[in-house]
Amino acid sequence: MNKKQLIVTSILLSLMLILVITQGFFKENFEQVILMDQGISKFKEYSFDDNKYVISLPSEWNVEEKESKGQYVSYELDFKDKNNKLTGLLQVVNTKEDINVFAEKDLNSQCLEYYNSELTSFKNSYNSGVLVKYETKVKNGYDFNNECYYLNLGEGKTAKILFNLKSKDYKDNMKTILNTIISSIKSSQS
């Protein structure tokens, strides 16, 4: 390499490094703008599975905790946004089944008829698991986009986080809200 090529290469590498650094800054700001656009300004933490884990939900949402000492579901948290466009739940399910098998069985055992189902793996900064997306239709004419996340908590327990979104209100920026919530699930010991 001659001197000119070395200078041009080092300038290009420097510019690429600057782009990589600023990308993280802008991504975080875009997420904040999307959350604020949806009326979400603060999050509130909820502990589950005997305070071993926490999940953060928008503080503007209606949340109802249900402690259950049943054999199958040991904890349930129901939530909905203030406009009733998004509803959902978090359940801690006692099962030793493989998470993929459990997710598929759970989808097939629904009482509502579903279509366009898709089962995929996902991973974020704190956890990984299975994501099941499907659509449902109820008798009064509402169509729903449903996203159900399954996380293996260990010790024979699985976290099931289900989001039901009215199809007419579903926008691509809703994925940011769901990803923010799923990414907030972490061990309270960390």
Side-chain angles (χ1 to χ4, degrees):
M1 264 192 189
N2 65 27
K3 200 172 188 176
K4 282 185 179 182
Q5 288 176 326
L6 187 61
I7 292 171
V8 169
T9 303
S10 61
I11 289 172
L12 287 174
L13 288 174
S14 300
L15 289 173
M16 287 172 46
L17 181 63
I18 290 170
L19 283 173
V20 167
I21 292 169
T22 57
Q23 174 190 7
F25 172 75
F26 285 117
K27 181 181 179 204
E28 192 172 303
N29 282 344
F30 282 132
E31 287 175 1
Q32 289 297 325
V33 168
I34 289 170
L35 293 173
M36 292 188 79
D37 181 51
Q38 294 295 318
I40 300 170
S41 57
K42 292 188 288 185
F43 284 83
K44 182 178 177 187
E45 282 190 348
Y46 296 88
S47 298
F48 64 96
D49 194 25
D50 297 323
N51 295 322
K52 293 179 188 169
Y53 296 92
V54 294
I55 183 171
S56 296
L57 296 171
S59 57
E60 298 86 359
W61 287 10
N62 297 317
V63 177
E64 182 183 346
E65 290 184 88
K66 297 177 180 176
E67 195 68 36
S68 172
K69 296 298 178 195
Q71 287 185 338
Y72 185 64
V73 176
S74 59
Y75 177 83
E76 187 169 325
L77 178 84
D78 294 334
F79 52 85
K80 62 181 173 181
D81 72 350
K82 59 185 175 188
N83 301 322
N84 277 341
K85 293 179 182 177
L86 182 147
T87 61
L89 62 83
L90 175 142
Q91 289 180 329
V92 176
V93 180
N94 300 316
T95 181
K96 292 185 187 225
E97 252 181 321
D98 175 71
I99 199 164
N100 291 300
V101 173
F102 176 72
E104 194 162 340
K105 280 185 179 179
D106 194 45
L107 175 67
N108 293 331
S109 67
Q110 287 198 59
C111 52
L112 288 176
E113 188 176 323
Y114 64 90
Y115 50 97
N116 296 336
S117 64
E118 175 185 350
L119 191 136
T120 57
S121 296
F122 79 91
K123 185 173 178 76
N124 61 35
S125 54
Y126 286 105
N127 42 52
S128 61
V130 175
L131 168 61
V132 178
K133 295 181 180 182
Y134 58 96
E135 296 174 28
T136 54
K137 186 177 202 142
V138 292
K139 290 181 181 177
N140 60 2
Y142 286 116
D143 293 326
F144 288 91
N145 290 358
N146 307 280
E147 295 194 13
C148 193
Y149 294 81
Y150 298 88
L151 308 173
N152 188 343
L153 301 178
E155 301 174 4
K157 295 182 180 183
T158 297
K160 173 185 174 182
I161 306 93
L162 173 64
F163 299 97
N164 304 305
L165 302 115
K166 291 181 181 172
S167 294
K168 67 180 180 115
D169 298 320
Y170 185 83
K171 299 175 187 153
D172 279 340
N173 64 7
M174 295 301 254
K175 290 178 187 175
T176 300
I177 297 169
L178 304 185
N179 287 337
T180 301
I181 292 169
I182 294 300
S183 296
S184 77
I185 299 172
K186 55 189 170 214
S187 172
S188 58
Q189 280 83 32
S190 59

